[in-house]
Amino acid sequence: MRIILKPLQTGTINLPPSALYEHAIRYEKDASIAENGALVAYSGVKTGRSPKDKQVVKHPDSEANVSQ
């Protein structure tokens, strides 16, 4: 597999929480702030990994606890 990375045209790094909140509220249509101050954001229906997409890594510390 070959992966080609393109340079970003613009970007930011290490933004303070207040700037992240502002960006989310301004540009994410479903973002909001909960009563306790937490940022609430919905990522959509197609996120995460598939339940069928499982991998087991063999490691000496846990090898005896994994059944095949």
Side-chain angles (χ1 to χ4, degrees):
M1 178 187 341
R2 183 175 180 198
I3 299 173
I4 299 173
L5 300 175
K6 296 180 181 179
L8 292 175
Q9 292 182 1
T10 60
T12 55
I13 163 174
N14 296 328
L15 290 175
S18 58
L20 297 172
Y21 271 56
E22 182 179 347
H23 180 85
I25 296 300
R26 183 173 290 171
Y27 299 109
E28 302 296 327
K29 68 176 186 163
D30 291 329
S32 61
I33 299 174
E35 287 183 19
N36 66 358
L39 177 64
V40 179
Y42 297 96
S43 57
V45 295
K46 295 187 178 188
T47 61
R49 296 174 61 102
S50 167
K52 295 179 182 178
D53 187 14
K54 297 180 183 177
Q55 297 179 0
V56 177
V57 177
K58 187 175 182 178
H59 192 276
D61 293 344
S62 61
E63 185 174 4
N65 301 324
V66 178
S67 60
Q68 295 182 359

